[in-house]
Amino acid sequence: MDFLHNNLQNVLSRIRTVCLQSDRAENAASLIAVSKTFPAEDIRTVYRCGQRDFGENYIQEWYAKTDELADCPDIVWHIIGDIQSNKTKYVAERAHWVHTVSRLKIAERLSHQRPTHMPPLQICIEVNIAQEPNKHGIAPEDVLPLARELIKLPKLALRGLMCVAKADCSETELNRQFQTMRNLLAELNQAGIAADVLSMGMSSDMETAIRNGATHVRIGSAIFGNRQYAQST
Ligand SMILES: *Cc1c(COP(=O)(O)O)cnc(C)c1O
């Protein structure tokens, strides 16, 4: 479908352009195509254009799509929504990444339920960067203590930090949030924790995120179009 193909090429070219403008390698920021609420056939179309990394928020919806997409075996699945403890098993068995770890208990379940023949689940700690009361994620000052616990879990590989920036804020404020993320990652590194991922930037703020060091941007509507419905599980 031309619509999806054009959107994907557009987003990839925006990413390359801003990487180069900010003196980074043109492939320094990877694209995660966020397909929540869109059907498996849209994912397949984008997959056939060459995209491999996809992000999903709702575990049941995602899990059904993994069954439908058996013909796309090398999709890399990124879970970017909150995970309830009764859903960890699905994630441990089929996901490659979880960007939204904020509770040790959930992380322990994921590590325990990860099948031994599979590589460790790649994880990021979700940071509630603007300390918004109704957002998921932990406070910046809790990142290092949680990281020290997570690196002990055998079937998880702590890769870095993730955030959803505050909506509708000024460019100055956005820059401040993304810079704080970058500083938090540097603090982990100074503490001897080898994490290298900054998962930040969505359709509306990806350029600012990349200028501030994002290594993974999570882009939904700029590729798939406006979401028509919301799901809750
Ligand atoms: C939906 C979602 C995205 C993508 O948002 P767009 O504005 O559609 O690009 C990225 N990250 C998270 C955590 C999301 O829930």
Side-chain angles (χ1 to χ4, degrees), residues 34 36 57 80 162 164 201-204 218-222 227:
V34 176
K36 63 168 175 248
N57 293 62
I80 62 170
M162 175 273 201
V164 175
M202 306 173 29
S203 294
S204 60
R218 309 177 311 267
I219 308 299
S221 46
R227 287 180 287 274

Side-chain angles (χ1 to χ4, degrees), residues 5 26-27 33 52 66 77 108 198:
H5 181 260
E26 68 167 17
N27 61 354
R52 290 295 177 270
T66 65
W77 290 115
E108 285 169 343
L198 281 177

Side-chain angles (χ1 to χ4, degrees), residues 24-155:
R24 304 181 63 196
E26 68 167 17
N27 61 354
S30 313
L31 171 63
I32 299 170
V34 176
S35 44
K36 63 168 175 248
T37 80
F38 290 96
E41 67 187 81
D42 286 357
I43 298 176
R44 186 177 290 108
T45 301
V46 173
Y47 174 91
R48 288 188 178 150
C49 298
Q51 178 65 23
R52 290 295 177 270
D53 290 80
F54 290 87
E56 288 274 344
N57 293 62
Y58 311 112
I59 305 308
Q60 279 168 351
E61 177 194 328
W62 158 69
Y63 199 76
K65 289 179 195 172
T66 65
D67 283 336
E68 290 179 72
L69 291 163
D71 58 319
C72 310
D74 57 342
I75 286 185
V76 178
W77 290 115
H78 299 254
I79 299 302
I80 62 170
D82 192 48
I83 305 172
Q84 313 273 298
S85 53
N86 62 351
K87 306 270 169 55
T88 50
K89 193 164 190 295
Y90 300 102
V91 174
E93 290 178 354
R94 287 202 189 170
H96 303 84
W97 285 72
V98 173
H99 292 239
T100 42
V101 171
S102 59
R103 285 181 286 166
L104 183 58
K105 184 186 154 216
I106 297 292
E108 285 169 343
R109 289 177 65 88
L110 290 170
S111 179
H112 181 66
Q113 292 169 335
R114 184 73 164 170
T116 44
H117 68 273
M118 290 178 81
L121 190 58
Q122 311 290 299
I123 61 163
C124 294
I125 296 175
E126 180 171 7
V127 186
N128 186 350
I129 194 62
Q131 313 245 29
E132 294 173 84
N134 47 12
K135 264 214 187 122
H136 293 294
I138 62 172
E141 62 268 24
D142 297 331
V143 168
L144 185 55
L146 180 61
R148 290 195 203 278
E149 297 302 318
L150 294 176
I151 57 175
K152 297 177 190 161
L153 298 175
K155 290 300 278 180

